[in-house]
């Protein structure tokens, strides 16, 4: 039994009187991948920040190689071999790769930066992460996945023995994520200990030697290698069984309400995509990141106008060059990135909810304040938005409540077609369930729903029918009975539909 | 709101201090004069506030003041155009300039700083060109027209309201209603904070941005006309010089954030008044104005620093409060 590389005992941390960690313990052995999972707000990020020296704990102890340490800065943690690979990358975009790896500790010769040494050393560390690029490449010329590898190379260059990775695959394509997981495997075989935080449970299943689950700032349980499975992780995270999770009831679909014919998006102009959504139907769009799903929704909505094709709503063609016309025709889009596209963060809950319906409710150009107020009240209670007041700026709400504000904004417009792009990304499980319930309720009122999701279980749990996209085109369609992780992944990775339906019989734990 | 009270307090303090240091500050003549200058600069400041609210900037308005201020007497006295033609011409000119700025900023996506910096050079150059650098003025003519700027409305015995103040009040009321009570004002505030979210909410952000530049140049044109009517003649080399900076400073002091999305007309008015009172104070107290820029620069800097610090404290308090409320509502 080797000594733990990193050990934390009964860590506590409070912010302004709020207890984020209530006595969390964990340990990491050399050559081990420990996954830390939990809902948003469970305390994962706080724990990681304490381990990496970004923040210090109020109480509890931290040991490196069995010796008690208290990191007061990231630099101190680094000097003991603990490195944090941030969720949002921490690199200087305009500098080259070599300069980034040695940023702040450049090798010098006669007082000047020794470029030659930077290049040769950088190449060595880049080799270790399997990146065969020239160290003089500007960082911003690299795709995000390779930038992340540069960050890992940087950590290796300071002899990090513990790598803490916070949602490392959240912005990677499927292929990039795969090669990252392979790299983690290699690093593990070299004795590096890795703390891996992810919402993507499939990855955790694939890579983790052990799983530590946090809930409400406490240890909720741990799973050893043989026990790690999706259902157990979820039930530890939420403290309840998965089977209650998706409320979806399939309804007999009504008339076609959204009809997309041979639509070509600006990003993938070669491919013509057609699809139909009926009233009361929930259609999922699955696929890997970068498959063109968001582009398809944004083309329908007119924010990124299509380069060809037609869209009909209840039989009438849409002017897809103008979001105003699309909204007027009864189409709403809840975008993927709520902070950049969904909300005006500094504005209040009320102002955000009314933003898309101001034009409809205007009186000769003047704001209709009573209507605005009543809409806000209606949506706050319908969506169960937790906010101290209607005047609270939305930046101070939790992610789940922010997302409910975005959805509330579009419910206020009473849409007939609702486009949802990753509607539950980054929000906690309670809010997720509320959003699922709402989707179901809207469908029962005859709204046609088209939603994009990267979470396979969400597609399987919520969709009456799923379209699977691969590299810009709809690769195939799966009926509810055919939905399984295997059938979706097969199409999403470029397999064909016939193969997909042949494995439909294999029961998936998520076809409820 | 707190910000506006802060700047109002500063204005009152400066007024009291100046009244103590100089007996002529509170004379009817001086008050009328300060009010007139504040009114003229207030009109410019309100215009540029709209552009600042969209997250842009308008550096050209001093040159627009110069162009209109020179073109109006030049058309009337040199070219002998009738009034009914000259007035619409300068109005169309200033609105056309705003339209051009707005189109360049939205359709070609050139940075507002660059577009209006080029405007700053261009319009003054044009004014100097057609006047051949000669001073243009009304002489003894156009007395009735000039009362628009020089006129006085009897108010109290020995104290009259300068005519430009009436223009300012009208412009300010319309602007405040537009910004706070119409959907378009809300659109401007939203797109100033987050143009992408505004677009995704179905707002025609480009049109609204163009409108803001039109308002800015249009009011600069109105200001330019009133300025030249007030002083009777314009020297193209320096007429309206630095006026854009006074206007931007007034808007920023009055609570507009250069990050966009923030601003109130009342604040801008107080900011404009503060700038003019400060200039007046410097003239009265030092009897020369060679340190004017230094003092004004320092005051603006202090104001902006104070604002940034209070903003940070408020943000921190609010975040902690929001966190606490979420926890208790979930518990």
């Amino acid at each position: 039994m080797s000594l733990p590389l990193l050990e934390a005992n009964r860590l506590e941390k409070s912010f302004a009187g709020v207890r984020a960690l209530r006595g969390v313990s964990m340990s990491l052995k050399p050559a081990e991948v420990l996954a830390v999972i939990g809902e948003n707000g469970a305390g994962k990020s706080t724990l990681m920040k304490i381990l990496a020296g970004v923040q210090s704990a109020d109480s509890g102890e931290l040991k490196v190689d069995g010796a008690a340490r208290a990191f007061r800065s990231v630099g101190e943690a680094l000097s003991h071999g603990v490195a944090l690979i941030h969720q949002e990358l921490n690199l200087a975009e305009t500098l080259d790769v070599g300069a980034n790896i040695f940023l702040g500790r450049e090798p010098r010769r006669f007082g000047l930066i020794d470029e030659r040494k930077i290049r040769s050393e950088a190449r060595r560390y880049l080799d270790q992460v399997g990146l065969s690029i020239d160290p003089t490449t500007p960082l911003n010329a690299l795709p995000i996945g390779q930038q992340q590898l540069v960050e890992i190379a940087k950590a290796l260059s300071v002899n990090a023995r513990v790598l803490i990775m916070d949602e490392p695959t959240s912005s990677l394509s499927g292929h990039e994520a795969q090669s990252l997981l392979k790299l983690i495997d290699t690093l593990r075989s070299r004795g590096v200990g890795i703390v891996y935080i992810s919402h993507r449970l499939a990855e955790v299943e694939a890579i983790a030697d052990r799983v530590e689950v946090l809930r409400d700032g406490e240890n909720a349980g741990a799973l050893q290698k043989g026990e790690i499975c999706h259902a157990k992780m979820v039930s530890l995270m939420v403290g309840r069984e998965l089977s209650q999770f998706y409320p979806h009831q399939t309804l007999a679909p009504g008339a076609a309400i959204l009809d997309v014919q041979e639509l070509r998006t600006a990003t993938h102009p070669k491919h013509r995509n057609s699809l139909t959504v009926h009233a009361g139907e929930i259609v999922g769009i699955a696929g890997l990141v970068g498959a063109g799903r968001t582009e398809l929704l944004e083309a329908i909505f007119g924010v990124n106008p299509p380069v060809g094709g037609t869209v009909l709503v209840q039989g009438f063609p849409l002017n897809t060059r103008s979001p105003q016309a699309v909204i007027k025709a009864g189409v709403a889009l809840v975008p993927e990135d709520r902070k950049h596209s969904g909300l005006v963060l500094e504005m209040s809950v009320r102002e955000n909810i009314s933003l898309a319906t101001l034009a409809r409710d205007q009186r000769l150009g003047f704001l209709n304040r009573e209507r605005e107020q009543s809409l806000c009240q209606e949506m706050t209670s319908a969506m169960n938005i937790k906010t101290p007041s209607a005047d609270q700026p939305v930046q101070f709400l939790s992610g789940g409540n922010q997302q409910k504000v975005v959805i509330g904004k579009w419910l206020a417009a009473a849409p007939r077609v609702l486009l949802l792009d990753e509607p539950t990304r980054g929000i906690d499980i309670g809010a997720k369930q509320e959003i699922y319930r709402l989707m179901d309720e809207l469908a029962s009122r005859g709204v046609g729903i088209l939603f994009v999701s990267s979470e396979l279980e969400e597609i399987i749990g919520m969709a009456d029918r799923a379209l699977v996209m691969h590299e810009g085109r709809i690769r195939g369609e799966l009926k509810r009975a055919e939905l399984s992780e295997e059938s979706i992944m097969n199409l999403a990775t470029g397999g064909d539909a016939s193969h997909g339906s042949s494995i439909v019989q294999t029961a998936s734990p998520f076809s409820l | 709101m707190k910000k506006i009270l802060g700047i109002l307090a500063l204005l009152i303090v400066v007024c009291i201090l100046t009244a103590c240091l100089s007996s002529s500050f509170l004379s009817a003549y001086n008050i009328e004069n300060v009010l007139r200058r504040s009114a003229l600069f207030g009109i410019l400041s309100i215009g540029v506030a709209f552009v600042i609210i969209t997250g842009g900037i308008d550096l050209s308005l001093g040159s627009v003041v110069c162009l209109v201020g020179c073109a109006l007497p030049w058309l009337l006295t040199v070219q002998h155009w009738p009034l009914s033609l000259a007035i619409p011409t300068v109005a169309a000119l200033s609105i056309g300039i705003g339209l051009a700025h707005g189109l360049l900023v939205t359709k070609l996506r050139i940075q507002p700083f660059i577009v209006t910096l080029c405007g700053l050079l261009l319009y003054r150059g044009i004014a100097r060109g057609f006047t051949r650098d000669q001073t243009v003025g009304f002489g003894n003519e156009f007395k009735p027209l000039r009362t628009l700027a020089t006129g006085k409305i009897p108010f109290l015995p020995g104290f009259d309201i300068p005519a430009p103040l009436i223009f300012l009040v009208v412009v300010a009321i319309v602007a405040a209603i537009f910004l706070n009570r119409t959907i378009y004002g809300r659109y401007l505030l939203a797109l100033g904070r987050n143009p992408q979210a505004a677009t995704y909410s179905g707002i025609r952000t480009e049109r609204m941005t163009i409108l803001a530049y039109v308002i800015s140049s249009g009011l600069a044109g109105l200001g330019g006309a009133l300025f030249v009517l007030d002083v009777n003649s314009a020297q193209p080399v320096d007429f309206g010089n630095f006026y854009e900076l006074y206007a931007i400073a007034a808007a920023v002091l009055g609570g507009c954030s250069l990050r966009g999305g923030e601003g109130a007309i009342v604040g801008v008015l107080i900011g404009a008044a503060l700038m003019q009172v400060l200039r007046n104070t410097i003239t009265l107290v030092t009897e020369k104005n060679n340190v004017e820029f230094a003092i004004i620069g320092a005051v603006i800097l202090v104001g902006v620093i104070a604002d940034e610090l209070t903003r940070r404290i408020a943000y921190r308090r609010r975040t902690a409060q929001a966190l606490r409320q979420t926890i208790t509502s979930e518990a």
Side-chain angles (χ1 to χ4, degrees), chain A residues 16 18 298 301 324 327 335 339-341 343-344 346-347 351 354-356 358-359 362 365-367 369 372 388 392-393 395-396 409-410, chain B residues 177 180-184 186-187 189-190 193-194 196-204 315 318-320 322-327 329-330:
Chain A
V18 179
E298 294 192 340
F301 190 65
Q324 296 79 37
I327 292 168
K339 289 194 173 151
H340 289 110
S341 321
L343 295 169
V344 183
E346 299 85 349
M347 282 187 145
E351 288 165 322
S354 66
L355 199 55
L358 289 177
Q362 65 171 316
F366 284 86
L367 295 171
R369 292 194 167 193
E372 193 184 9
Q392 179 84 340
Q395 62 186 336
F396 299 113
K409 169 170 81 176
W410 288 110
Chain B
I177 290 175
N180 301 316
R181 300 277 163 163
T182 70
I183 61 171
Y184 310 107
R186 182 70 65 76
Y187 287 173
L189 291 166
R193 297 280 197 188
N194 186 344
Q196 194 170 339
T199 307
Y200 276 72
S201 300
I203 295 168
R204 293 178 208 269
Y315 182 85
R318 197 115 191 212
T319 320
L323 197 60
R324 226 170 296 138
Q325 273 155 344
T326 332
I327 301 290
S329 68
E330 275 166 11

Side-chain angles (χ1 to χ4, degrees), chain A residues 197-384:
Chain A
I197 307 171
S198 184
H199 275 121
R200 297 190 177 172
L201 299 185
E203 286 172 11
V204 170
E205 237 175 301
I207 195 81
D209 297 313
R210 212 149 47 81
V211 174
E212 192 65 62
V213 185
L214 298 187
R215 189 167 66 221
D216 300 328
E218 295 177 55
N219 293 76
L223 297 169
Q224 301 301 325
K225 183 79 186 166
E227 316 172 294
I228 300 172
C229 75
H230 199 284
K232 277 191 183 152
M233 287 191 276
V234 172
S235 74
L236 280 177
M237 276 161 72
V238 296
R240 60 183 170 263
E241 291 297 317
L242 181 65
S243 55
Q244 315 159 345
F245 205 64
Y246 295 100
H248 184 53
Q249 302 282 319
T250 302
L251 304 164
I257 193 161
L258 174 73
D259 202 357
V260 176
Q261 297 169 350
E262 308 214 322
L263 198 74
R264 291 157 58 218
T265 64
T267 333
H268 301 280
K270 284 182 309 213
H271 299 300
R272 296 162 194 275
N273 288 307
S274 302
L275 64 94
T276 308
V277 179
H278 299 86
E281 194 182 25
I282 300 182
V283 178
I285 303 183
L288 301 174
V289 172
R293 299 169 301 169
T294 296
E295 291 81 353
L296 185 67
L297 291 193
E298 294 192 340
I300 295 171
F301 190 65
V303 279
N304 277 320
V307 291
T310 45
V311 180
L312 306 174
V313 171
Q314 294 183 313
F316 293 99
L318 272 190
N319 173 8
T320 45
R321 304 209 68 79
S322 150
Q324 296 79 37
V326 175
I327 292 168
K328 233 176 193 162
V331 180
L333 168 69
V334 174
E336 180 180 18
D337 184 342
R338 67 174 164 269
K339 289 194 173 151
H340 289 110
S341 321
L343 295 169
V344 183
L345 287 172
E346 299 85 349
M347 282 187 145
S348 68
V349 172
R350 177 171 45 79
E351 288 165 322
N352 271 286
I353 285 179
S354 66
L355 199 55
T357 41
L358 289 177
R360 179 194 67 191
D361 295 335
Q362 65 171 316
R363 284 184 295 208
L364 303 169
F366 284 86
L367 295 171
N368 186 337
R369 292 194 167 193
E370 299 87 69
R371 180 90 180 110
E372 193 184 9
Q373 194 59 49
S374 68
L375 256 188
C376 174
Q377 263 162 16
E378 202 181 306
M379 290 306 144
T380 336
S381 70
M383 300 289 311
N384 191 20

Side-chain angles (χ1 to χ4, degrees), chain B residues 102-144:
Chain B
L103 288 170
L104 289 170
V105 167
T106 57
K107 303 291 179 189
L108 287 186
R109 315 221 168 160
I110 306 176
Q111 283 138 337
F113 190 98
I114 301 297
V115 169
T116 58
L117 178 66
C118 294
L120 178 149
L121 300 168
L122 198 58
Y123 313 134
R124 182 168 303 275
I126 291 172
R128 290 179 62 173
F130 68 75
T131 57
R132 293 165 207 269
D133 261 355
Q134 298 302 305
T135 302
V136 283
F138 300 103
N140 286 322
E141 297 170 77
F142 300 102
K143 282 271 157 67

Side-chain angles (χ1 to χ4, degrees), chain A residues 41-96:
Chain A
K44 291 169 300 188
S45 296
T46 311
L47 176 62
M48 294 310 118
K49 284 179 182 159
I50 291 172
L51 295 180
V54 180
Q55 288 163 350
S56 52
D58 299 338
S59 69
E61 74 176 345
L62 202 58
K63 284 181 182 172
V64 181
D65 298 325
R69 304 276 178 206
F71 300 145
R72 276 162 306 184
S73 71
V74 180
E76 257 179 60
L78 263 182
S79 67
H80 289 99
V82 181
L84 178 67
I85 310 293
H86 258 292
Q87 204 165 356
E88 274 110 30
L89 300 172
N90 263 341
L91 298 167
E93 292 233 328
T94 51
L95 297 182
D96 69 27

Side-chain angles (χ1 to χ4, degrees), chain B residues 17-313:
Chain B
L17 277 179
T18 314
C20 295
L21 291 170
S22 164
S23 53
S24 44
F25 180 70
L26 287 180
S27 70
Y29 170 79
N30 192 56
I31 291 178
E32 259 177 59
N33 197 28
V34 170
L35 277 179
R36 185 187 309 276
R37 303 294 288 181
S38 301
L40 292 170
F41 278 100
I43 291 170
L44 302 183
S45 305
I46 289 171
V48 79
F50 278 95
V51 168
I52 292 175
I53 283 170
T54 69
I57 193 83
D58 190 346
L59 298 176
S60 72
L61 58 86
S63 293
V64 174
V65 166
C66 171
L67 185 63
V68 169
C70 293
L72 188 61
W74 185 74
L75 289 175
L76 291 172
T77 60
V78 180
Q79 301 297 313
H80 303 289
W81 284 24
L83 206 55
S84 57
L85 196 57
I87 297 277
T89 302
V90 293
L93 189 65
S94 41
I95 286 169
I97 286 172
L99 196 60
H101 290 169
L103 288 170
L104 289 170
V105 167
T106 57
K107 303 291 179 189
L108 287 186
R109 315 221 168 160
I110 306 176
Q111 283 138 337
F113 190 98
I114 301 297
V115 169
T116 58
L117 178 66
C118 294
L120 178 149
L121 300 168
L122 198 58
Y123 313 134
R124 182 168 303 275
I126 291 172
R128 290 179 62 173
F130 68 75
T131 57
R132 293 165 207 269
D133 261 355
Q134 298 302 305
T135 302
V136 283
F138 300 103
N140 286 322
E141 297 170 77
F142 300 102
K143 282 271 157 67
L145 182 64
R146 287 197 56 212
T147 55
L148 287 177
T150 56
K152 297 171 180 191
I153 296 131
F155 183 61
L156 293 173
F159 176 76
D160 302 332
I161 293 176
L165 197 60
I166 308 295
F167 278 96
L168 177 72
V169 169
V170 172
V171 166
I173 289 173
V174 172
I177 290 175
F178 183 80
L179 190 61
N180 301 316
R181 300 277 163 163
T182 70
I183 61 171
Y184 310 107
R186 182 70 65 76
Y187 287 173
L188 281 174
L189 291 166
L191 80 88
R193 297 280 197 188
N194 186 344
Q196 194 170 339
T199 307
Y200 276 72
S201 300
I203 295 168
R204 293 178 208 269
T205 50
E206 295 194 344
R207 278 192 201 181
M208 295 309 301
T209 306
I210 293 170
L211 178 66
Y213 283 91
V214 168
I215 293 174
S216 179
S217 295
L219 288 181
L222 173 65
L226 291 176
F227 269 113
V228 76
L229 289 171
D230 179 31
V231 296
N232 199 21
S233 67
Q235 234 178 341
V237 183
D238 65 358
F239 191 68
N241 233 356
F242 289 125
Y243 282 15
E244 62 281 342
L245 299 185
Y246 287 116
I248 292 166
V252 170
L253 272 179
C256 292
S257 162
L258 288 179
R259 294 186 201 95
E262 235 181 304
I265 300 300
V266 184
V268 175
L269 293 181
I270 300 171
L274 179 60
M275 296 293 298
Q276 297 314 312
V277 170
L278 271 176
R279 291 176 78 184
N280 186 244
T281 307
I282 294 158
T283 315
L284 290 179
V285 175
T286 67
E287 286 172 4
K288 28 180 137 62
N289 49 15
N290 47 15
V291 289
E292 182 188 318
F293 283 153
I295 291 177
I296 288 177
V299 168
I300 296 172
L301 192 60
V302 168
V304 173
I305 290 171
D307 176 49
E308 187 58 40
L309 294 181
T310 47
R311 185 205 307 265
R312 281 187 199 182
I313 293 166

